[in-house]
Amino acid sequence: MSAGDLLDTPLTRQAGIAVPLIGGAMYPCGNPELVAAVSEAGGIGIVQPISLTYVHGHEFREGLEFIKRLTKKPVGFNALIEQSSKLYHERMVQWVDIALEEGIRFFVTSLGNPRWVAEKVHAAGGVVYHDVTERKWALKGLDGGVDGLIAVNDRAGGHAGPKSAEALLAELGDLKVPIVCAGGVGDAPDFVRALQMGYAGVQIGTRFIATPECRASDAYKKAILGSDSSDIVLTERITGVPVSVIRTPTIDRMGTRAGPIARWMLRGRRTKKWMRTIYALRSLRSLKKGLRDERSEYWQAGKSVETIREIEPAGEIVQRFAAAAKAAASTIPS
Ligand SMILES: Cc1cc2nc3c(=O)[nH]c(=O)nc-3n(C[C@H](O)[C@H](O)[C@H](O)COP(=O)(O)O)c2cc1C
């Protein structure tokens, strides 16, 4: 293996990027400046459409054009394709069409069946990677025509999975598509380790909140710098399924399990859809409020907080991680 080999992967070739690093979609933290900074440095930043419009106040197409003025390099788009609301689905179809018109060719899908996204994106010559937490969802995604998988592990911020990075690679490694590691990568050695394990790239969320580009409150950023992995807990109270958050007095007061009525509704086939919609609307509002409110203690983050100790520009993070991967590859005799 020669220098640079760890950076040349199926992900970098398919996405047309220099560093196999995805700046993951983040509601509400993914503001356009952060997305653009990751892409400009050689990775690929992913636009979270509800974050772009509802939290950061851009009309969707104008927001994409703003990002295109900040970087000419590829950016990606996150299509959360859960179909519990017809209105939301129709909006998502419009967003995907506009993203394609605006030149986006890298899509990350989560939940649901990605077939309709894959069909549109492939017709335009793009690629789709699908977030999964276990083999069952990976097979469903591949059946829907996706080109790669993002294996979300038990250390991830956002909706964490139940399995470790090692276990997921063992479970998905034979599926003949590139597999990206999502979860727990907070520093350069974690990045290098994931690539050396055989992952085609890494998707990072939490590390990019502690950057000057991210518009989160100082209190949120400080909480990330001051936390260890034991401070991260899973709560069902935000979206009805477990989400990783920093344990704070507010989280303790709220409790981490869904209430009895919500649990009953989440079990029923029809009531599940209503409950998810109620949760989604409520959580969009409270997470938006928690992003900039210095008094809020409602902060999503993953276990990578344990290696994040300073605020650092997003582009420097990408380049520092890339340099570490190059250095690691050059020490392996060819
Ligand atoms: C604050 C926050 C918000 C997130 N929001 C989303 C989202 O809206 N859509 C999505 O697909 N993933 C979301 N994620 C997951 C990230 O895209 C990424 O997979 C994850 O953060 C990787 O784990 P890490 O935080 O340990 O780096 C979110 C993660 C965080 C930390």
Side-chain angles (χ1 to χ4, degrees), residues 22-30 46-51 78-80 108-111 131 150-153 155-160 181-186 202-209 220 224 243-244 287 291 299-305 308:
I22 301 173
M26 284 196 282
Y27 183 90
C29 306
I46 307 294
V47 174
Q48 210 292 353
I50 310 176
S51 193
N78 176 225
L80 250 150
V108 175
T109 48
S110 0
L111 308 170
D131 274 347
I150 300 180
V152 182
N153 64 48
R155 294 175 63 76
H159 290 123
C181 174
V185 176
V202 168
Q203 173 162 281
I204 295 176
T206 303
R207 170 64 271 199
F208 288 122
I209 300 172
Y220 190 169
I224 288 180
V243 172
S244 297
L287 288 170
L291 180 70
W299 301 312
Q300 297 181 77
K303 294 197 171 182
S304 66
V305 287
I308 305 174

Side-chain angles (χ1 to χ4, degrees), residues 13-16 100 103-107 117-128 147:
R13 278 171 252 141
Q14 284 187 332
L100 286 167
I104 292 184
R105 292 294 179 267
F106 187 81
F107 287 72
V117 182
E119 282 170 0
K120 279 178 185 281
V121 172
H122 288 160
V127 291
V128 180
D147 307 281

